[in-house]
Structures are given as C-alpha cells and as structure tokens.
Amino acid sequence: GAVVSQHPSWVICKSGTSVKIECRSLDFQATTMFWYRQFPKQSLMLMATSNEGSKATYEQGVEKDKFLINHASLTLSTLTVTSAHPEDSSFYICSAERLAGGNEQFFGPGTRLTVL
Amino acid sequence: AQRVTQPEKLLSVFKGAPVELKCNYSYSGSPELFWYVQYSRQRLQLLLRHISRESIKGFTADLNKGETSFHLKKPFAQEEDSAMYYCALGTGYKLSFGAGTTVTVRA
C-alpha cells in the first residue's frame, strides 16, 4: 500500500508555455503533499508543502506565482509551472503524507521537465 | 537552520565487506532522522527511521545526539545494495535531505 503516482513522467515544452504535473495518492488519503525539485546529481530541495483545501506554503526563494500548487482533494495535488523557461528544466518529485501514517512521506516516481 | 551533511558522494565496496555511510546533522530542536534509498530507475523509498530502531535489509543506524550523527551501517554488503542513499532530517512536517551517497557494491 501507500503508492503515489505522478503524471506525466516526462514532458518537453516550449519556453513560455505552462506545464501541469499531477500527484496522486492511489490507495490512501494524504493530509499533506510535498513538492520537491532535484537537479542532476544533487539532492532533493523542498519547494512547497500543500494541504487539502488551503494555500500552499512555499519555501524561501520559491516563486509562488511561478509554481502554482493546487491541492483539490485528499488524493490529488497539482503543480503548474507557469511561463516555463529553460532554467525550470528539472526533475520534480512529489510526496504524500498519509492521514494516519506517523509522518512518513511516500514518494512519487518523479516528472522530468525539459523546457526548450 | 537545519542542515544535513553526507560527506561522501561516492562509496565503493566489495561484496561481503562492511559499509558505512556517514550522516551528520545540524538542528537545535529534537531531531527525527531517516535514511531513504533510491535504487536504479526506482522512486525514493524509506529505508529506516531512528525512532523505530529496527534493522531493514541488514542496515542499522544509531542516532548519536552528542556527535549529531546518524550513520548507516551494514556488516556485509550485497550487490543489490548498490543504490543512492539519502539521509534526511525531519523537523515538524518538513524533510531536509543530504546530498546523497552513491553506493556501488562490486562482486
């Protein structure tokens, strides 16, 4: 149990377009979902934390107007990269914390974004 | 501010040899420490957490508050242990990750 999916697994887009990435908890309800960014051969950096029905909490240095997060239900959070530019190219990973799970985060497989 | 340091980027050991991955943390509060593992082409998954004090896949880790360390150890490495290992510090609802250590176990 405790599976998290992400869609799409990879996406290529043109500079200036917006890209939406979905994160779903498939077999459990998630109180909180997290969005991370990972550059090649580097660690995961937390971008934002989202709770169902409320505004996301962004980490310092992350532009909230650039990275829009919507947490519509206990099983779905979306990250929209608006007006994407080549420097936004990265690996985006989400995780979900189970409603009754003792703070353990379950990670999605990640989404590779390439902006041309 | 919290910080996690994994000093070794790469670690190569022979099968059957002991392996130790170092992790040091900096945090003024009461820490919660984790080790996550990422096998090739797979997602990140929890290996163990300090509060459970259990051994997973032969790995153990002891929290040493005096040295602010949470080193991961296994007495006899196996080829299937080759992976990327991340130490993480939990503070409230957040996880802060170290840079990761790539472990290669050679036959």
Side-chain angles (χ1 to χ4, degrees):
Chain A
V3 178
V4 176
S5 71
Q6 280 184 242
H7 178 80
S9 55
W10 59 270
V11 56
I12 301 172
C13 69
K14 291 183 179 180
S15 188
T17 60
S18 294
V19 174
K20 181 187 282 188
I21 302 170
E22 289 186 351
C23 176
R24 292 181 186 273
S25 56
L26 298 184
D27 51 1
F28 67 99
Q29 291 185 322
T31 47
T32 306
M33 289 185 167
F34 304 85
W35 287 96
Y36 296 84
R37 185 171 178 176
Q38 186 178 33
F39 290 103
K41 299 187 186 298
Q42 294 189 32
S43 187
L44 286 78
M45 299 298 295
L46 180 64
M47 298 174 65
T49 304
S50 72
N51 291 286
E52 183 259 342
S54 61
K55 288 186 179 180
T57 302
Y58 289 83
E59 294 299 296
Q60 195 171 13
V62 178
E63 298 176 59
K64 60 182 180 181
D65 295 329
K66 172 81 172 169
F67 299 100
L68 300 178
I69 292 172
N70 184 280
H71 196 149
S73 73
L74 284 172
T75 60
L76 173 64
S77 176
T78 60
L79 168 68
T80 301
V81 183
T82 62
S83 186
H85 291 284
E87 57 265 29
D88 299 323
S89 298
S90 191
F91 197 55
Y92 293 88
I93 303 171
C94 77
S95 71
E97 191 176 273
R98 197 160 42 185
L99 199 59
N103 295 333
E104 181 178 348
Q105 291 185 28
F106 299 92
F107 286 81
T111 296
R112 171 77 58 196
L113 170 63
T114 301
V115 185
L116 303 176
Chain B
Q2 57 271 25
R3 189 173 67 236
V4 180
T5 304
Q6 291 180 250
E8 305 130 332
K9 278 202 161 190
L10 300 170
L11 202 56
S12 180
V13 299
F14 284 104
K15 178 182 173 181
V19 61
E20 180 178 27
L21 287 75
K22 291 186 169 45
C23 172
N24 288 90
Y25 67 91
S26 173
Y27 181 54
S28 57
S30 184
E32 190 170 2
L33 276 299
F34 305 82
W35 275 100
Y36 281 84
V37 60
Q38 188 170 29
Y39 300 103
S40 179
R41 299 184 186 279
Q42 294 187 29
R43 68 188 66 198
L44 203 63
Q45 57 185 287
L46 179 66
L47 181 61
L48 52 80
R49 57 198 305 179
H50 89 271
I51 58 170
S52 58
R53 299 182 66 82
E54 56 188 345
S55 172
I56 304 292
K57 299 184 179 182
F59 285 97
T60 58
D62 291 316
L63 177 61
N64 186 322
K65 291 187 178 181
E67 296 181 359
T68 60
S69 68
F70 189 57
H71 303 327
L72 183 69
K73 301 176 186 179
K74 184 168 182 176
F76 307 104
Q78 302 300 312
E79 289 181 75
E80 55 265 28
D81 296 327
S82 296
M84 184 76 159
Y85 292 81
Y86 292 96
C87 182
L89 169 66
T91 56
Y93 59 89
K94 291 167 53 171
L95 281 178
S96 298
F97 286 86
T101 299
T102 301
V103 173
T104 303
V105 181
R106 300 183 179 188

